[in-house]
Amino acid sequence: MQHLTQPSVADDAHRLRDGPSPRLPAAESLPGQPGGRTARPGPSRSPQGARSPGSADGLPPTHTALICVALPGLAISTDQGQLNGRGLEGFYRAGRRLLARCQVRVAGREPLSVLAGMTGADSARFVGVLRVSPAAGPDPDVVVERVRHAEGTERITLRSSARHPLRLPFEVALGTDLAELSAIASGNSGPEVAAGVHDSGLRWTTPTATSSVTADPSPADALASAGLLRWEFELPPGGTVSVELRVRADSTGPLRVVGRAATSPLAPARATGDDPRASALLRTSIEDLQALLLRDPAHPSDTYLGAGAPWRCGLAPAEALAAARMTLPLGTRLAAGTLRTLARTQLRGPGPQAGMIPGPRRDAGAHLPPGCTGTEATLLFPVLLAEARRWGLPDQEIRELMPAAERCLTWLRAATGDRTYLRDPQPEGPARCETQAHAHRAALLGADLLDAYDRPGGTGLRQWASELRAAFRTDFWTADRSGGRPVAALTPDGRPLTQLGSAAVHLLDTGLLGGGEPAVGLLDKVQTEQLARLFGGPAMDSGWGLRGLGAKETGHNPFGHRGGAVRVQETALAVAGLAAAGYEKEAGGLLCGLLAAAEHFGHRLPEMFAGEQRTDGSAPLPHPAACRPAATAAASGVLLLATLAGIRPDAPARTVALRPVRSAPLGELGLTGLRVAGAPFSIRVSRLGLAMVEEAANGLQLGA
């Protein structure tokens, strides 16, 4: 069976990790547009042909890169500040590298780097120094500051500390290969393109692309053959001078960044309290989410999240839906835009795929074949719509999306037929544990949604869910001396695969129904207690978060992205699910571990990192191919703090229930600027775990 998808060109590089998906008979595409081309692994080389350090095994490493994001723009740098055209370095727009080299020289020499760091999700600052005056001794007397933005600008400022006036020759060497990110990832970027003088800068052109760099002030000389812009500045003692470079694509104007629009779909929430990490995590999470926003080109009012930078800058349906669901405390507009965008991709007509949301295959590790994220997306669609209704999505928007949700639920019933379990779409596919959890949640929340809008089918969905629950508790549980564990999957011949992994967190994520009540789950009370015990044990809890595969399982690899690495989204779901089920000790342990990891990552959590055991004085090990920022990781920061506050709204009933984590693992916590029922919502949780609403919509009542 063919699985359809809407990846970006940059998204294809991610498949080197997540496994291949069947090819589409479609044209190549830019982020957020249909189609795509699959990159092949291989050594990455710079435009000059030199092998990039650390990239011999495929993807160039990202763990040491400073990645500025304002989709569809990227600026990727090392901590040296200079762009040398190696590896991933450069300015990008819509998956193409517009500028690969930007090398600054002052008085014929490169500045010595002394500082590099992110100043926001979309910008980085670099500081270098030089000793220019012969009589200056060992002390630098010129500071070179560079501020780089993902939207395609760089401001370079020279500041003199010399006691005498300085005449400083200043030059910038520029070059690019105009390569697509997928080609760069696979080592096939090609040589640099010859430059031509253009306006107050340089221009590069190939049959398929054009880019230019203009400078303000204009250079005294522009040498196309050398790719060089030159100035000569005179600086008095204490004087400064600046040059701004603007990178543009194919005669287009300045990059229009979705996340900077005046009407952002994400509320500017803030966290305060005893633990400063909460404030930093929420602030950085929202900044990263803003930076990853994309706009549907055909429907500009609809926004959604790109999956992550640098590899997955386009639409990945399952991740977009999951991230929009976790960010419902910031408002329902992102959920609505994501749902409308994906409803337009839904497959129609007769056949077994009718009603599916297309999605690529995803690698599942050593024990299972790749799974179809289209199945996950199709089951998440009605869940997100149902929960967005609880958070306050307007009735008219829900009604417009109901037909697409109904088609998803119709596909679910058709795909299961007279069987109990939902198996992988390909012939003779396994029945995965997490797929049953997604299907069960979709059936219960979907039935609730159908009933609310007087649509048929709710009774049948509840009946099937009940049958699934009864069978699952026997077939998907294996007994052992420690109390048993959930089965990861049933093979086509019914054989259980019993390895313990983080996919089981979806069994705890049951979904939200009316009155602030969670839906019933697939596990019974005893099984849930045992799963909580397993998640809190050393085999699964690395001390930094939940391992993707237990440390004692065959095939465990702490760097395996489905075989032992900590995946931030799954850890956050585990915290939320454990807290909802009343297992606060285990939830608090995972939460505090992930917060400690976030501190090491500057509160910009990657999608995953190594599942090495935490010890005194250790630090979490980054995964060299992880996206950072990533939509689901950034959204996890929102989910974690909303979980501590225990906010469970029911906007149609004009109520909100509060179930805060009573142990208050972060002490006092205040959340302001959230959105419930379309209005600002603020809450404070005391050190005793008591919650108090400080701001809410008129008429919103506190539920029992």
Side-chain angles (χ1 to χ4, degrees):
M1 174 182 175
Q2 188 182 49
H3 301 271
L4 305 179
T5 182
Q6 286 193 317
S8 68
V9 171
D11 202 26
D12 294 322
H14 194 272
R15 296 191 194 128
L16 302 182
R17 295 185 355 230
D18 271 2
S21 66
R23 294 291 300 275
L24 289 175
E28 296 174 13
S29 67
L30 299 180
Q33 297 175 328
R37 183 175 64 190
T38 303
R40 301 298 178 196
S44 175
R45 297 181 182 273
S46 70
Q48 291 79 16
R51 185 183 296 270
S52 299
S55 60
D57 294 327
L59 295 178
T62 60
H63 64 289
T64 58
L66 279 71
I67 303 178
C68 306
V69 185
L71 292 185
L74 297 173
I76 304 178
S77 320
T78 70
D79 60 5
Q80 297 302 302
Q82 296 278 45
L83 297 181
N84 296 306
R86 301 192 192 98
L88 292 170
E89 293 176 50
F91 285 89
Y92 295 80
R93 185 168 181 176
R96 186 180 296 277
R97 182 155 62 183
L98 303 183
L99 186 67
R101 282 194 303 114
C102 183
Q103 298 161 315
V104 168
R105 288 188 288 269
V106 180
R109 291 182 291 131
E110 294 190 9
L112 174 68
S113 176
V114 295
L115 179 69
M118 301 293 296
T119 57
D122 64 344
S123 60
R125 176 174 176 260
F126 307 90
V127 178
V129 296
L130 299 107
R131 184 171 62 87
V132 176
S133 304
D139 301 329
D141 54 1
V142 173
V143 174
V144 182
E145 181 185 58
R146 305 172 70 170
V147 179
R148 187 169 294 151
H149 291 272
E151 62 190 14
T153 62
E154 177 164 334
R155 189 168 187 85
I156 307 166
T157 300
L158 309 182
R159 185 169 64 251
S160 171
S161 299
R163 289 178 290 178
H164 306 287
L166 296 177
R167 176 171 290 180
L168 294 178
F170 176 70
E171 57 187 32
V172 180
L174 304 169
T176 189
D177 47 19
L178 289 175
E180 293 181 353
L181 184 53
S182 56
I184 297 166
S186 58
N188 298 315
S189 58
E192 283 194 355
V193 178
V197 176
H198 170 70
D199 198 7
S200 57
L202 300 176
R203 185 175 184 174
W204 300 265
T205 302
T206 69
T208 57
T210 299
S211 74
S212 64
V213 173
T214 57
D216 182 19
S218 298
D221 294 299
L223 306 178
S225 59
L228 202 63
L229 304 181
R230 287 177 174 169
W231 295 259
E232 189 162 302
F233 296 122
E234 293 190 11
L235 269 68
T240 64
V241 66
S242 295
V243 171
E244 184 167 277
L245 304 177
R246 302 183 186 92
V247 185
R248 299 287 183 261
D250 196 20
S251 302
T252 59
L255 180 66
R256 294 184 61 195
V257 179
V258 178
R260 288 189 183 173
T263 55
S264 170
L266 300 170
R270 294 290 182 268
T272 58
D274 292 338
D275 194 326
R277 296 177 300 178
S279 174
L281 179 63
L282 185 58
R283 181 181 65 252
T284 305
S285 295
I286 294 175
E287 287 179 358
D288 285 345
L289 291 166
Q290 297 274 24
L292 290 169
L293 285 172
L294 287 167
R295 198 185 303 277
D296 188 329
H299 301 269
S301 62
D302 290 339
T303 55
Y304 56 89
L305 289 166
W311 308 120
R312 311 188 71 199
C313 292
L315 175 61
E319 283 87 344
L321 289 163
R325 185 177 173 225
M326 289 190 284
T327 58
L328 284 171
L330 303 180
T332 60
R333 289 180 54 207
L334 177 61
T338 304
L339 289 166
R340 283 192 291 264
T341 299
L342 290 176
R344 291 188 281 269
T345 75
Q346 192 172 36
L347 302 180
R348 307 292 182 90
Q353 297 184 65
M356 282 196 74
I357 305 294
R361 293 179 187 268
R362 176 194 290 149
D363 181 62
H367 298 280
L368 284 164
C372 177
T373 62
T375 298
E376 182 179 339
T378 306
L379 298 173
L380 273 173
F381 189 102
V383 168
L384 177 57
L385 182 59
E387 291 190 337
R389 174 174 173 260
R390 298 294 174 194
W391 282 89
L393 184 64
D395 185 72
Q396 180 57 37
E397 296 187 59
I398 299 172
R399 292 184 183 277
E400 291 171 356
L401 288 162
M402 279 298 296
E406 286 185 280
R407 287 190 289 270
C408 292
L409 297 170
T410 299
W411 172 84
L412 168 60
R413 293 301 292 121
T416 53
D418 57 0
R419 297 175 300 180
T420 303
Y421 300 121
L422 179 62
R423 294 187 174 272
D424 279 13
Q426 67 263 29
E428 302 303 318
R432 302 173 196 261
C433 169
E434 66 270 26
T435 300
Q436 313 317 308
H438 292 316
H440 184 261
R441 186 197 315 118
L444 293 183
L445 272 65
D448 186 63
L449 195 60
L450 293 174
D451 290 352
Y453 287 88
D454 297 322
R455 307 291 181 97
T459 300
L461 285 168
R462 288 191 184 90
Q463 178 62 35
W464 175 78
S466 176
E467 295 169 359
L468 173 63
R469 252 186 338 268
F472 186 95
R473 291 173 179 179
T474 299
D475 296 343
F476 273 81
W477 192 266
T478 181
D480 58 31
R481 292 180 179 178
S482 66
R485 60 170 62 186
V487 168
L490 297 178
T491 63
D493 61 2
R495 179 172 55 89
L497 300 179
T498 60
Q499 70 274 6
L500 179 63
S502 61
V505 301
H506 297 287
L507 296 173
L508 300 173
D509 179 17
T510 61
L512 182 66
L513 291 175
E517 292 300 318
V520 63
L522 283 173
L523 300 180
D524 62 27
K525 184 176 181 180
V526 173
Q527 291 170 335
T528 301
E529 182 178 3
Q530 173 62 7
L531 183 58
R533 187 179 299 115
L534 292 170
F535 280 170
M540 289 298 295
D541 183 0
S542 70
W544 302 112
L546 200 66
R547 293 185 174 94
L549 185 67
K552 298 180 180 179
E553 304 298 323
T554 303
H556 170 79
N557 172 6
F559 282 93
H561 69 283
R562 302 284 171 185
V566 173
R567 299 192 68 84
V568 170
Q569 175 192 359
E570 290 175 343
T571 300
L573 289 175
V575 171
L578 289 167
Y583 299 99
E584 293 192 0
K585 178 183 177 182
E586 292 80 3
L590 290 171
L591 167 70
C592 291
L594 196 55
L595 276 177
E599 204 169 13
H600 284 280
F601 287 111
H603 304 286
R604 176 184 253 190
L605 281 164
E607 61 174 328
M608 61 180 172
F609 53 89
E612 292 279 8
Q613 186 62 43
R614 181 180 180 181
T615 59
D616 290 342
S618 68
L621 299 180
H623 193 293
C627 285
R628 180 170 174 259
T632 53
S636 293
V638 180
L639 176 63
L640 288 171
L641 298 182
T643 294
L644 290 178
I647 308 166
R648 298 182 185 178
D650 188 352
R654 303 298 295 174
T655 64
V656 58
L658 302 178
R659 302 288 188 273
V661 175
R662 296 290 184 179
S663 58
L666 303 186
E668 183 175 288
L669 173 68
L671 298 175
T672 61
L674 303 176
R675 292 289 185 273
V676 174
F681 186 86
S682 300
I683 185 173
R684 184 164 299 277
V685 181
S686 73
R687 297 181 184 92
L688 299 177
L690 302 176
M692 180 176 67
V693 174
E694 297 184 332
E695 183 182 23
N698 289 333
L700 191 67
Q701 300 295 316
L702 189 61

